[in-house]
Amino acid sequence: NCDSSWDQYGGIGILVTDQGSTFVANMFRTAVADAGGTYEAATAGVAKLRARVERMFRTLGQQLAPMLTGRTFGNPQERGDYPSEELAALTDDELAQVITLFIVDIYHNSQHAGLGGETPANAWKRLAAEQGVTPPPDSNGRRVLFGLELERKLGRHGVRVFGINYTNAKLQELLLHGRQREVKIRVDPHSLTYVSVLIGKEWHPAEAVNQGVEGLSLDEWQSIVRNLRTGFKDDARFSVQTIWGARKKIKAIDARARALRQIMPSTWTTADLDRAERHLFMGLRIGPEGTCASGTAPVGTGDLLDDVIHPPEPISPTDQEDDADTPPDTDTPPRWRISRD
């Protein structure tokens, strides 16, 4: 709900952190290096070596905090007898929205002494036009760098994660001609449209066979599956139409939360993903309309191939743009078919 655009972006140049254990861990430093950045850890206890980020905290305290009734001030002496707890009113989500509004609409558009009176937004536009911007990693690159790693069996359905089948041309070729049956994958909990699969020494995007999960986050998919399991307790196979119906119901109430999740820290871990698969997604499959969850008679012979979707041509997702991870604007389910060719 900002009035200004937040279009500042780019790859990592130099990333400077303190000596926190999370930052000096090999996994963190490797991700920064793989993203094309240079990592530096400033000397512990010398705040001036991290002057820019430390100054940002001071800016929030001086300019934003006075607008909030539940502020706690910089120290107990400054706070005095101010009843911060009694006046606290914001939830975590609301605080994230307030900080975002302050940065995008106020800070970016305010004159800055360090820029000779120019606003940060105008300075960005001027320098981006003069110097260009280092591109950030694409969707597949971000999943590889920051996604949570799992290991799954390769089968005729591709790889199955959270009851969703994923495939691409490389996986199909590996199934036909390779001996590898266990593959490593990386998942972005914020979008289940694609996963990244390690084949040989390269990570390749694999697309969800069923478009009913396009653009969904893991949190949203969990909510849908939990609700459907409540309504269809004896079924482990949900129809596409049923999934689209559930999506339509949560769309209105989830829009604001989905926007806030983009600026809130992720709480998922690899252990969380494994636990979710064992308990909520155990045995889950997505089938065609007319089976199980639809409440009507099954279509086809009911053999083991009924849930396998074979595309006429091998799926080769480009996964080049972020737009590929956005759900369609319409709630009308896409057309698709089952083939045994």
Side-chain angles (χ1 to χ4, degrees):
N1 295 322
C2 297
D3 292 328
S4 304
S5 61
W6 196 0
D7 53 359
Q8 293 81 20
Y9 71 97
I12 299 175
I14 300 176
L15 184 64
V16 184
T17 74
D18 58 25
Q19 295 281 353
S21 58
T22 301
F23 297 134
V24 300
N26 287 333
M27 181 183 298
F28 183 90
R29 290 184 292 173
T30 299
V32 174
D34 288 344
T38 301
Y39 172 72
E40 294 182 5
T43 303
V46 187
K48 66 181 180 181
L49 297 180
R50 300 177 298 279
R52 286 175 176 82
V53 68
E54 297 290 349
R55 186 63 179 84
M56 186 62 203
F57 297 145
R58 184 178 174 185
T59 297
L60 292 174
Q62 290 179 337
Q63 299 183 26
L64 174 61
M67 304 181 195
L68 310 178
T69 58
R71 60 180 303 199
T72 57
F73 298 87
N75 54 63
Q77 291 73 30
E78 185 181 354
R79 174 180 169 181
D81 59 357
Y82 185 83
S84 301
E85 291 88 348
E86 297 176 16
L87 298 175
L90 296 177
T91 64
D92 290 348
D93 287 350
E94 290 168 339
L95 179 60
Q97 187 174 17
V98 164
I99 293 175
T100 303
L101 286 167
F102 170 77
I103 293 173
V104 178
D105 281 343
I106 298 178
Y107 183 80
H108 283 180
N109 296 300
S110 300
Q111 291 183 335
H112 196 292
L115 298 173
E118 190 176 17
T119 68
N122 287 338
W124 173 271
K125 293 175 184 177
R126 174 177 56 83
L127 291 172
E130 293 176 5
Q131 306 293 335
V133 178
T134 303
D138 62 13
S139 298
N140 185 58
R142 288 198 299 273
R143 270 193 308 276
V144 173
L145 291 170
F146 310 118
L148 300 176
E149 186 169 303
L150 300 171
E151 192 168 284
R152 291 294 177 267
K153 285 186 178 180
L154 174 62
R156 51 191 171 77
H157 49 71
V159 290
R160 183 173 293 159
V161 192
F162 315 127
I164 306 166
N165 294 335
Y166 292 87
T167 189
N168 61 20
K170 294 287 186 181
L171 282 175
Q172 295 172 9
E173 183 179 346
L174 182 63
L175 179 64
L176 291 175
H177 305 292
R179 296 183 178 181
Q180 182 181 352
R181 287 297 177 264
E182 295 283 341
V183 293
K184 291 184 178 180
I185 65 170
R186 290 198 176 166
V187 178
D188 175 9
H190 298 294
S191 176
L192 299 182
T193 308
Y194 291 90
V195 296
S196 296
V197 184
L198 181 62
I199 302 176
K201 295 183 178 181
E202 294 186 9
W203 291 91
H204 300 271
E207 188 176 15
V209 172
N210 187 275
Q211 294 181 351
V213 299
E214 185 175 351
L216 288 179
S217 69
L218 182 54
D219 286 328
E220 292 165 335
W221 181 229
Q222 272 203 131
S223 297
I224 290 174
V225 172
R226 191 176 291 112
N227 290 336
L228 291 179
R229 282 202 184 276
T230 301
F232 306 98
K233 294 181 180 179
D234 298 328
D235 296 325
R237 188 177 183 184
F238 300 148
S239 74
V240 180
Q241 292 284 23
T242 305
I243 293 172
W244 277 92
R247 286 186 60 149
K248 188 173 183 178
K249 292 177 182 178
I250 71 168
K251 186 175 181 180
I253 62 175
D254 193 61
R256 180 174 175 273
R258 186 185 309 172
L260 283 172
R261 271 198 297 273
Q262 298 178 21
I263 57 175
M264 294 292 283
S266 175
T267 57
W268 285 99
T269 66
T270 300
D272 293 333
L273 300 187
D274 285 332
R275 190 180 307 110
E277 283 216 310
R278 287 196 307 270
H279 296 286
L280 183 60
F281 300 106
M282 178 69 71
L284 176 67
R285 292 183 297 164
I286 304 174
E289 182 62 12
T291 61
C292 289
S294 66
T296 59
V299 175
T301 61
D303 62 31
L304 293 176
L305 296 180
D306 274 354
D307 70 324
V308 183
I309 301 176
H310 298 285
E313 299 293 336
I315 295 177
S316 182
T318 57
D319 199 21
Q320 299 270 329
E321 301 290 339
D322 287 343
D323 291 341
D325 288 346
T326 18
D329 293 331
T330 175
D331 288 318
T332 304
R335 293 183 178 180
W336 58 283
R337 64 187 181 86
I338 297 178
S339 172
R340 292 186 177 86
D341 294 341

